[in-house]
Amino acid sequence: MTRAINFSAGPAALPAEVLQQAAAEMLDWQGSGQSVMEMSHRGKEFMAIAAAAEADLRELMAIPANYKVLFLQGGASLQFEMIPMNLLAGKGSADFVNTGEWAKKAIKAVKHFGKANVVASAEDSNFNYAPKQDTWKLDPNAAYVHYTANETIGGVEFHWVPETGNVPLVCDMSSNILSKPVDVSKYGLIYAGAQKNIGPAGLTIVIIRDDLIGKGNPAPSAMLDYKTHADNDSMYNTPPTYGIYIAGLVFQWLKKQGGLAAIEQKNIAKARLLYDFLDQSAFFKNPVRKEDRSRMNIPFTLANAELDDEFLKGAKARGMVQLKGHRSVGGMRASIYNAMPIEGVQALIDYMKEFETQHGK
Amino acid sequence: MTRAINFSAGPAALPAEVLQQAAAEMLDWQGSGQSVMEMSHRGKEFMAIAAAAEADLRELMAIPANYKVLFLQGGASLQFEMIPMNLLAGKGSADFVNTGEWAKKAIKAVKHFGKANVVASAEDSNFNYAPKQDTWKLDPNAAYVHYTANETIGGVEFHWVPETGNVPLVCDMSSNILSKPVDVSKYGLIYAGAQKNIGPAGLTIVIIRDDLIGKGNPAPSAMLDYKTHADNDSMYNTPPTYGIYIAGLVFQWLKKQGGLAAIEQKNIAKARLLYDFLDQSAFFKNPVRKEDRSRMNIPFTLANAELDDEFLKGAKARGMVQLKGHRSVGGMRASIYNAMPIEGVQALIDYMKEFETQHGK
């Protein structure tokens, strides 16, 4: 068995140790004689697994006691709709920062329920930067302010937390959650699909300040109301149990890595290695403003797009997969989430050097 | 490693062969160097996995070409809400048959969107039977007729398909899908949470006749509209990829068992073995009308409820787990889905005989 060096943007690479443990426990979790997939979600074994996962996540992110952690389904895409359903709360509009593809999806979805007020946008420059706070035209009466912490496709990341006063700050953290410490207390709601830094697709994590729960007006139906899930500790209906189990293993792995401050240092080092190479190269290029570059998703183009296929073919021959850029932008994209070791980034750079020598002028 | 004999009502036992294959492929799916969890849902490997899963399900259930198969999230509980959102279609009400806990949940959920008209109910007799069709007071103007094919808690199953003329028939098949052949063409919509006969919790399958798609009035938001998922082949957003993979392995396993006609014979034999024992016992009892008894979930009580804990303890000592009845009804429940071999049922009966000899009068 050879493990690929997997640059997928998501679902994405998971730590090999996590997968090894999952494989070893697949038919018999800790002497129970059952796979975690086969356990009643209300049995004591799974209840313990879920409780440990939540406790570890709370510890890793230092989540204050007045925040609920919800394990939901439906991905960030369902959150794009549940957030306005629950948080518009009779107010006419919410403020949005438009930083690219994922921000646009969040903006589009809110229109079904109210008005999305775009207070800043990087569309003028093909979404290659994160608009600075002093350019945001915030509405003090907005129901909330929404931004996308990391644009998976554009490769733009906020390295600072917006200041929104008394208006709740809502953040799509799908693609950089757990990559660095964040001050949760600055947020009203944080949400993330699991399939980048947490675990398998099909699990969605919502971290919500408790005063924002149950304020839907009109009240959403039960499954779409945060209150339902908060009141039932995410067990109103059967949760995605296996996803929660894998997420719990990832959280334990993160704690063994030294927690989020330690993983941030590794992520900084990995990203710097690749950006430094890109910036000195005459052949490869990343378009994003330096201070807003993502540590998670690094898009890059070749000097000659006709060589894209050859580049991908050579990468695959060297065990490097899923480097093709998103269909909406082309080129390449290296997604280097927590589970990507620095050796994987170095292998990519070594290959890029080789490719540039062969094909560069 | 010893595998338990697992009577969980759901999430429930899966075939050991399926889990063995999943464990073997966990770090490297078929030479790809990736776990299925780590694959982009739009990559060719996962697209092939999803396409094979759908093709195998279509073959197993003989799903006609004018039906769409959707792989969704949110469980039957979200379907309780999506169905009225999409199918009430401006009509005031839908007809419901009340057969117990799960029917009641479906009925309760529709009230957020319109009127649930209960056309038959077994509440008069503590939900121990399935109301015969000639007692149903159907409304010819109803948007649809909904019933619960198998009540997981009460242990009541429909062994016949209702006739509703031109009014679409909608069925919660969560706990008996794939246990026997069904004539899909008699239904407008079939839905099922995966965690009984299909795979891990977090995957929901919807089989919908194509003329019922896109009829929501008012139109639901994108994620809650069947049209969105149908138009995008369940890839509007990231689907629960690992759940789809496991479901695909279960479908392959079912084909190896000889398909649904063959598995039905096994299910009949398993259920008969346990019911025959219950009916001759003076100590154990099942309350359900014989012709409506579930082949999947068999609740039973002991002559003396004070012995429940001792019964469960003895079962556990013999490797039999998750026999405790649902908190709402007490007693015991043996869930014997497709993955339960007849030897498991026989082991339970052997223990019940032993227990009755020790504790019966």
Side-chain angles (χ1 to χ4, degrees), chain B residues 170-195:
Chain B
V170 173
C171 181
D172 178 356
M173 224 175 258
S174 292
S175 53
N176 70 349
I177 193 168
L178 296 174
S179 70
K180 59 187 174 188
V182 292
D183 183 350
V184 173
S185 74
K186 293 192 167 172
Y187 294 87
L189 187 153
I190 292 168
Y191 64 104
Q195 63 268 23

mmCIF file of all heavy atoms in Angstrom, chain B residues 170-195:
data_model
loop_
_atom_site.group_PDB
_atom_site.id
_atom_site.type_symbol
_atom_site.label_atom_id
_atom_site.label_comp_id
_atom_site.label_asym_id
_atom_site.label_seq_id
_atom_site.Cartn_x
_atom_site.Cartn_y
_atom_site.Cartn_z
ATOM 1 N N VAL B 170 -46.819 8.323 -0.635
ATOM 2 C CA VAL B 170 -45.507 8.665 -0.065
ATOM 3 C C VAL B 170 -45.249 7.732 1.107
ATOM 4 O O VAL B 170 -46.120 7.528 1.949
ATOM 5 C CB VAL B 170 -45.490 10.135 0.406
ATOM 6 C CG1 VAL B 170 -44.210 10.452 1.158
ATOM 7 C CG2 VAL B 170 -45.659 11.075 -0.785
ATOM 8 N N CYS B 171 -44.060 7.158 1.151
ATOM 9 C CA CYS B 171 -43.800 6.134 2.159
ATOM 10 C C CYS B 171 -42.477 6.334 2.877
ATOM 11 O O CYS B 171 -41.424 6.459 2.253
ATOM 12 C CB CYS B 171 -43.807 4.761 1.483
ATOM 13 S SG CYS B 171 -43.534 3.409 2.641
ATOM 14 N N ASP B 172 -42.544 6.326 4.204
ATOM 15 C CA ASP B 172 -41.332 6.261 5.027
ATOM 16 C C ASP B 172 -40.931 4.791 5.109
ATOM 17 O O ASP B 172 -41.543 4.008 5.823
ATOM 18 C CB ASP B 172 -41.625 6.815 6.429
ATOM 19 C CG ASP B 172 -40.411 6.726 7.340
ATOM 20 O OD1 ASP B 172 -39.366 6.166 6.926
ATOM 21 O OD2 ASP B 172 -40.495 7.216 8.479
ATOM 22 N N MET B 173 -39.905 4.435 4.351
ATOM 23 C CA MET B 173 -39.467 3.041 4.287
ATOM 24 C C MET B 173 -38.149 2.850 5.056
ATOM 25 O O MET B 173 -37.413 1.886 4.810
ATOM 26 C CB MET B 173 -39.319 2.632 2.821
ATOM 27 C CG MET B 173 -39.889 1.270 2.475
ATOM 28 S SD MET B 173 -39.806 0.931 0.702
ATOM 29 C CE MET B 173 -41.498 1.243 0.191
ATOM 30 N N SER B 174 -37.885 3.767 5.982
ATOM 31 C CA SER B 174 -36.581 3.769 6.662
ATOM 32 C C SER B 174 -36.192 2.404 7.216
ATOM 33 O O SER B 174 -35.041 1.993 7.117
ATOM 34 C CB SER B 174 -36.603 4.767 7.825
ATOM 35 O OG SER B 174 -36.683 6.080 7.336
ATOM 36 N N SER B 175 -37.164 1.703 7.808
ATOM 37 C CA SER B 175 -36.738 0.512 8.544
ATOM 38 C C SER B 175 -37.102 -0.803 7.871
ATOM 39 O O SER B 175 -36.859 -1.866 8.446
ATOM 40 C CB SER B 175 -37.268 0.562 9.980
ATOM 41 O OG SER B 175 -38.658 0.766 10.002
ATOM 42 N N ASN B 176 -37.644 -0.762 6.642
ATOM 43 C CA ASN B 176 -37.770 -2.049 5.940
ATOM 44 C C ASN B 176 -37.389 -1.987 4.463
ATOM 45 O O ASN B 176 -37.563 -2.972 3.739
ATOM 46 C CB ASN B 176 -39.171 -2.659 6.140
ATOM 47 C CG ASN B 176 -40.268 -1.903 5.409
ATOM 48 O OD1 ASN B 176 -40.055 -0.807 4.902
ATOM 49 N ND2 ASN B 176 -41.457 -2.488 5.384
ATOM 50 N N ILE B 177 -36.829 -0.871 4.042
ATOM 51 C CA ILE B 177 -36.346 -0.797 2.659
ATOM 52 C C ILE B 177 -35.325 -1.909 2.435
ATOM 53 O O ILE B 177 -34.566 -2.265 3.343
ATOM 54 C CB ILE B 177 -35.748 0.603 2.359
ATOM 55 C CG1 ILE B 177 -35.557 0.779 0.854
ATOM 56 C CG2 ILE B 177 -34.450 0.838 3.136
ATOM 57 C CD1 ILE B 177 -35.243 2.220 0.447
ATOM 58 N N LEU B 178 -35.350 -2.483 1.277
ATOM 59 C CA LEU B 178 -34.391 -3.521 0.864
ATOM 60 C C LEU B 178 -34.574 -4.848 1.597
ATOM 61 O O LEU B 178 -33.769 -5.763 1.441
ATOM 62 C CB LEU B 178 -32.936 -3.028 1.025
ATOM 63 C CG LEU B 178 -32.513 -1.845 0.152
ATOM 64 C CD1 LEU B 178 -31.105 -1.388 0.520
ATOM 65 C CD2 LEU B 178 -32.564 -2.212 -1.329
ATOM 66 N N SER B 179 -35.649 -4.962 2.392
ATOM 67 C CA SER B 179 -35.877 -6.235 3.087
ATOM 68 C C SER B 179 -36.725 -7.185 2.251
ATOM 69 O O SER B 179 -36.881 -8.351 2.597
ATOM 70 C CB SER B 179 -36.561 -5.981 4.436
ATOM 71 O OG SER B 179 -37.903 -5.557 4.240
ATOM 72 N N LYS B 180 -37.303 -6.669 1.157
ATOM 73 C CA LYS B 180 -38.186 -7.452 0.294
ATOM 74 C C LYS B 180 -38.374 -6.661 -0.995
ATOM 75 O O LYS B 180 -38.143 -5.451 -1.015
ATOM 76 C CB LYS B 180 -39.530 -7.658 0.989
ATOM 77 C CG LYS B 180 -40.256 -6.347 1.335
ATOM 78 C CD LYS B 180 -41.502 -6.572 2.164
ATOM 79 C CE LYS B 180 -42.112 -5.244 2.607
ATOM 80 N NZ LYS B 180 -43.207 -5.416 3.571
ATOM 81 N N PRO B 181 -38.828 -7.315 -2.048
ATOM 82 C CA PRO B 181 -39.103 -6.552 -3.276
ATOM 83 C C PRO B 181 -40.308 -5.641 -3.045
ATOM 84 O O PRO B 181 -41.225 -5.996 -2.302
ATOM 85 C CB PRO B 181 -39.465 -7.653 -4.298
ATOM 86 C CG PRO B 181 -38.970 -8.933 -3.707
ATOM 87 C CD PRO B 181 -39.040 -8.766 -2.222
ATOM 88 N N VAL B 182 -40.277 -4.446 -3.637
ATOM 89 C CA VAL B 182 -41.459 -3.575 -3.629
ATOM 90 C C VAL B 182 -41.684 -3.067 -5.046
ATOM 91 O O VAL B 182 -40.732 -2.938 -5.816
ATOM 92 C CB VAL B 182 -41.308 -2.337 -2.691
ATOM 93 C CG1 VAL B 182 -41.259 -2.752 -1.236
ATOM 94 C CG2 VAL B 182 -40.099 -1.506 -3.065
ATOM 95 N N ASP B 183 -42.928 -2.801 -5.357
ATOM 96 C CA ASP B 183 -43.258 -2.259 -6.679
ATOM 97 C C ASP B 183 -43.154 -0.739 -6.591
ATOM 98 O O ASP B 183 -44.100 -0.058 -6.201
ATOM 99 C CB ASP B 183 -44.667 -2.694 -7.077
ATOM 100 C CG ASP B 183 -45.037 -2.220 -8.481
ATOM 101 O OD1 ASP B 183 -44.272 -1.406 -9.064
ATOM 102 O OD2 ASP B 183 -46.084 -2.649 -8.985
ATOM 103 N N VAL B 184 -41.993 -0.217 -6.954
ATOM 104 C CA VAL B 184 -41.727 1.221 -6.814
ATOM 105 C C VAL B 184 -42.738 2.039 -7.607
ATOM 106 O O VAL B 184 -43.113 3.143 -7.205
ATOM 107 C CB VAL B 184 -40.273 1.543 -7.249
ATOM 108 C CG1 VAL B 184 -40.025 3.043 -7.266
ATOM 109 C CG2 VAL B 184 -39.276 0.845 -6.327
ATOM 110 N N SER B 185 -43.229 1.499 -8.703
ATOM 111 C CA SER B 185 -44.134 2.272 -9.572
ATOM 112 C C SER B 185 -45.444 2.623 -8.878
ATOM 113 O O SER B 185 -46.189 3.471 -9.356
ATOM 114 C CB SER B 185 -44.422 1.506 -10.861
ATOM 115 O OG SER B 185 -45.302 0.421 -10.604
ATOM 116 N N LYS B 186 -45.730 1.982 -7.750
ATOM 117 C CA LYS B 186 -46.950 2.335 -7.018
ATOM 118 C C LYS B 186 -46.773 3.570 -6.132
ATOM 119 O O LYS B 186 -47.738 4.048 -5.525
ATOM 120 C CB LYS B 186 -47.397 1.157 -6.158
ATOM 121 C CG LYS B 186 -47.864 -0.028 -7.008
ATOM 122 C CD LYS B 186 -48.582 -1.066 -6.178
ATOM 123 C CE LYS B 186 -49.308 -2.057 -7.085
ATOM 124 N NZ LYS B 186 -49.855 -3.189 -6.319
ATOM 125 N N TYR B 187 -45.551 4.051 -6.057
ATOM 126 C CA TYR B 187 -45.253 5.156 -5.140
ATOM 127 C C TYR B 187 -44.946 6.448 -5.894
ATOM 128 O O TYR B 187 -44.393 6.427 -6.995
ATOM 129 C CB TYR B 187 -44.037 4.802 -4.267
ATOM 130 C CG TYR B 187 -44.306 3.650 -3.327
ATOM 131 C CD1 TYR B 187 -44.126 2.330 -3.742
ATOM 132 C CD2 TYR B 187 -44.771 3.872 -2.033
ATOM 133 C CE1 TYR B 187 -44.383 1.268 -2.888
ATOM 134 C CE2 TYR B 187 -45.031 2.818 -1.177
ATOM 135 C CZ TYR B 187 -44.840 1.519 -1.601
ATOM 136 O OH TYR B 187 -45.109 0.476 -0.757
ATOM 137 N N GLY B 188 -45.260 7.553 -5.241
ATOM 138 C CA GLY B 188 -44.801 8.844 -5.733
ATOM 139 C C GLY B 188 -43.423 9.150 -5.171
ATOM 140 O O GLY B 188 -42.535 9.639 -5.870
ATOM 141 N N LEU B 189 -43.247 8.833 -3.894
ATOM 142 C CA LEU B 189 -41.970 9.108 -3.226
ATOM 143 C C LEU B 189 -41.748 8.079 -2.116
ATOM 144 O O LEU B 189 -42.655 7.794 -1.325
ATOM 145 C CB LEU B 189 -41.982 10.536 -2.649
ATOM 146 C CG LEU B 189 -40.679 11.083 -2.050
ATOM 147 C CD1 LEU B 189 -40.647 12.611 -2.158
ATOM 148 C CD2 LEU B 189 -40.455 10.669 -0.603
ATOM 149 N N ILE B 190 -40.548 7.521 -2.109
ATOM 150 C CA ILE B 190 -40.101 6.619 -1.036
ATOM 151 C C ILE B 190 -38.881 7.265 -0.395
ATOM 152 O O ILE B 190 -37.998 7.753 -1.106
ATOM 153 C CB ILE B 190 -39.711 5.241 -1.622
ATOM 154 C CG1 ILE B 190 -40.940 4.499 -2.159
ATOM 155 C CG2 ILE B 190 -38.973 4.394 -0.578
ATOM 156 C CD1 ILE B 190 -40.592 3.266 -3.002
ATOM 157 N N TYR B 191 -38.840 7.273 0.922
ATOM 158 C CA TYR B 191 -37.627 7.805 1.576
ATOM 159 C C TYR B 191 -37.189 6.884 2.699
ATOM 160 O O TYR B 191 -38.002 6.135 3.257
ATOM 161 C CB TYR B 191 -37.848 9.233 2.082
ATOM 162 C CG TYR B 191 -38.884 9.408 3.179
ATOM 163 C CD1 TYR B 191 -38.494 9.627 4.499
ATOM 164 C CD2 TYR B 191 -40.245 9.392 2.892
ATOM 165 C CE1 TYR B 191 -39.439 9.820 5.507
ATOM 166 C CE2 TYR B 191 -41.189 9.576 3.887
ATOM 167 C CZ TYR B 191 -40.792 9.791 5.185
ATOM 168 O OH TYR B 191 -41.721 9.976 6.175
ATOM 169 N N ALA B 192 -35.913 6.959 3.009
ATOM 170 C CA ALA B 192 -35.357 6.079 4.041
ATOM 171 C C ALA B 192 -34.058 6.644 4.575
ATOM 172 O O ALA B 192 -33.148 6.967 3.805
ATOM 173 C CB ALA B 192 -35.095 4.678 3.462
ATOM 174 N N GLY B 193 -33.977 6.775 5.888
ATOM 175 C CA GLY B 193 -32.675 6.987 6.515
ATOM 176 C C GLY B 193 -31.863 5.714 6.326
ATOM 177 O O GLY B 193 -32.427 4.607 6.306
ATOM 178 N N ALA B 194 -30.554 5.850 6.174
ATOM 179 C CA ALA B 194 -29.743 4.686 5.807
ATOM 180 C C ALA B 194 -29.486 3.723 6.954
ATOM 181 O O ALA B 194 -29.150 2.563 6.723
ATOM 182 C CB ALA B 194 -28.397 5.165 5.249
ATOM 183 N N GLN B 195 -29.654 4.178 8.185
ATOM 184 C CA GLN B 195 -29.012 3.492 9.304
ATOM 185 C C GLN B 195 -29.658 2.195 9.782
ATOM 186 O O GLN B 195 -29.352 1.725 10.866
ATOM 187 C CB GLN B 195 -28.837 4.460 10.474
ATOM 188 C CG GLN B 195 -30.121 4.998 11.080
ATOM 189 C CD GLN B 195 -30.573 6.291 10.455
ATOM 190 O OE1 GLN B 195 -30.215 6.603 9.344
ATOM 191 N NE2 GLN B 195 -31.377 7.059 11.167
#
